[in-house]
Amino acid sequence: MWAGACASMMAQLSQWVGTLPISFAMRRIVWLIPTLQTLHILSIGFVLSSVVMIDLRVWGVSRSGTAIARSERFLPWMWAALAIATITGIGLMLGAPRSFRDDAFVAKLYLMVAATLATVALPLMLRRNACGGKDAGVPAQVVGIAALVLWLGATLAGRGRWIAGLLGG
Amino acid sequence: MKPITDLMHWVETTPVAIFVSQSTYGFSALDMFHIAAIAVVFGTIAILDLRLIGLAFTDFSVTDLSRQLLPWTWTAFAIAAVTGVLMFTGQAVKYAGNFAFLTKLALMAIAGLNVLVFHFITYRGVAKWDSGVPVPWAAKFAGALSIAIWVAVAAYGRFTAFYMYP
């Protein structure tokens, strides 16, 4: 029910954005949307890969350095890539407003919030660890894998409009 | 190029192709996994490429970074390749005549050659430049070429869809 209410709000927002002069102007530049999509997906790739690099150390697959050092090493890259993904994403919302008027987009926003929380929590948990974050405890390992799964879920939801159709939405 | 056109027409008649082109959600589902997999391929390769070029992550040895990242790259590449081939079968004739798609294939062939040259020639001397010293120009070149090609592959992939369904 919540998702449904959000989706109809999104549908109204999407319709309104479509009437804005900037949206018209963007749609007239034929190469703009595919270019923004390319930058969007490449920066998402960097977000996912940065989290993979952190998780590899947190899960002990790699033993080089400490878990806390690994997260401090890759989180700035991850946040920078997320900033680019967000900016290009907002650009796509303006230039291709049809892309966000469904349940999948609402689900993507929820997944992004949860993924962000897990990503913020991870270094905090590593720092509070008794061994000074050299190796991660089980809770941090769970949060680490949750962050990756949630970011992956948000990525998939970005192309998940068909699922809404499948579920009869 | 009649033999190729005939082949593409035949591809479209295979059961797999018919499933992809006729099912309501088949193509969308493939597309969803294809794009997520390409994101992981690009991200993991880009980290390695930046290390090779010497722009970032130089506190990791090249072998250590490769060992950690390449299993992810290859797994994601396999998913992208399988989903990509399946999407292709549904409209083989149209894709075979799509300039952006053909450019993407050509770029991936060059990326493959780049990997082969790097792996079998340049990488054999990796012990000498694994960590702490600058990597040789051949490795820097391979890294720069790789990152440029994968950015272009992603872009031509987007433009492929753009020219298929304008």
Side-chain angles (χ1 to χ4, degrees):
Chain A
M1 195 192 97
W2 267 101
C6 289
S8 77
M9 213 171 72
M10 282 299 165
Q12 283 173 8
L13 184 66
S14 149
Q15 213 161 25
W16 174 72
V17 167
T19 63
L20 296 178
I22 186 171
S23 184
F24 276 109
M26 287 176 77
R27 274 176 281 166
R28 263 202 295 273
I29 311 169
V30 282
W31 50 265
L32 186 61
I33 296 304
T35 304
L36 283 176
Q37 286 176 327
T38 304
L39 291 173
H40 191 63
I41 198 64
L42 293 183
S43 52
I44 288 170
F46 229 96
V47 169
L48 293 171
S49 304
S50 304
V51 179
V52 164
M53 281 305 290
I54 296 169
D55 272 359
L56 282 169
R57 180 63 192 88
V58 165
W59 276 81
V61 178
S62 156
R63 293 252 156 229
S64 59
T66 63
I68 184 70
R70 179 70 68 96
S71 79
E72 282 167 355
R73 188 76 184 77
F74 281 92
L75 280 177
W77 288 89
M78 184 270 170
W79 294 122
L82 184 63
I84 297 172
T86 307
I87 292 165
T88 51
I90 291 168
L92 285 166
M93 287 176 73
L94 290 173
R98 272 188 304 176
S99 62
F100 71 96
R101 64 178 177 199
D102 50 79
D103 284 333
F105 186 80
V106 179
K108 173 172 163 161
L109 290 183
Y110 281 125
L111 285 165
M112 279 180 69
V113 170
T116 303
L117 289 176
T119 311
V120 169
L122 184 60
L124 300 177
M125 293 175 79
L126 291 173
R127 246 176 241 129
R128 285 168 57 113
N129 189 299
C131 5
K134 184 179 184 334
D135 289 310
V138 174
Q141 288 183 323
V142 172
V143 170
I145 205 80
L148 181 59
V149 170
L150 289 166
W151 283 120
L152 200 57
T155 307
L156 294 172
R159 285 258 140 187
R161 205 170 319 154
W162 63 279
I163 299 175
L166 186 69
L167 299 176
Chain B
M1 300 291 262
K2 189 156 184 314
I4 293 182
T5 315
D6 288 347
L7 181 66
M8 294 306 132
H9 277 292
W10 172 78
V11 166
E12 285 190 11
T13 64
T14 56
V16 174
I18 288 167
F19 173 78
V20 171
S21 57
Q22 301 297 314
S23 90
T24 318
Y25 303 113
F27 186 90
S28 305
L30 290 168
D31 172 70
M32 179 172 91
F33 289 105
H34 188 68
I35 289 179
I38 283 176
V40 174
V41 169
F42 172 78
T44 52
I45 284 217
I47 290 175
L48 205 53
D49 289 339
L50 289 173
R51 169 64 182 89
L52 287 176
I53 302 168
L55 280 176
F57 314 117
T58 45
D59 46 337
F60 287 89
S61 75
V62 174
T63 48
D64 182 30
L65 215 49
S66 314
R67 253 196 308 270
Q68 292 186 52
L69 286 171
L70 288 181
W72 292 79
T73 314
W74 284 114
T75 308
F77 184 80
I79 296 170
V82 170
T83 51
V85 167
L86 289 174
M87 286 193 289
F88 171 84
T89 61
Q91 293 198 67
V93 179
K94 220 172 158 190
Y95 277 113
N98 184 316
F99 171 75
F101 179 74
L102 296 174
T103 308
K104 174 176 166 167
L105 285 191
L107 285 168
M108 284 171 65
I110 300 172
L113 278 178
N114 186 37
V115 167
L116 288 177
V117 170
F118 177 73
H119 187 80
F120 288 108
I121 301 172
T122 317
Y123 198 71
R124 282 167 69 176
V126 68
K128 288 193 280 269
W129 43 268
D130 197 17
S131 64
V133 291
V135 301
W137 69 267
K140 284 186 182 172
F141 177 78
L145 184 64
S146 162
I147 207 164
I149 288 179
W150 286 109
V151 169
V153 165
Y156 277 105
R158 281 291 73 215
F159 278 96
T160 298
F162 185 70
Y163 289 121
M164 292 292 277
Y165 316 100

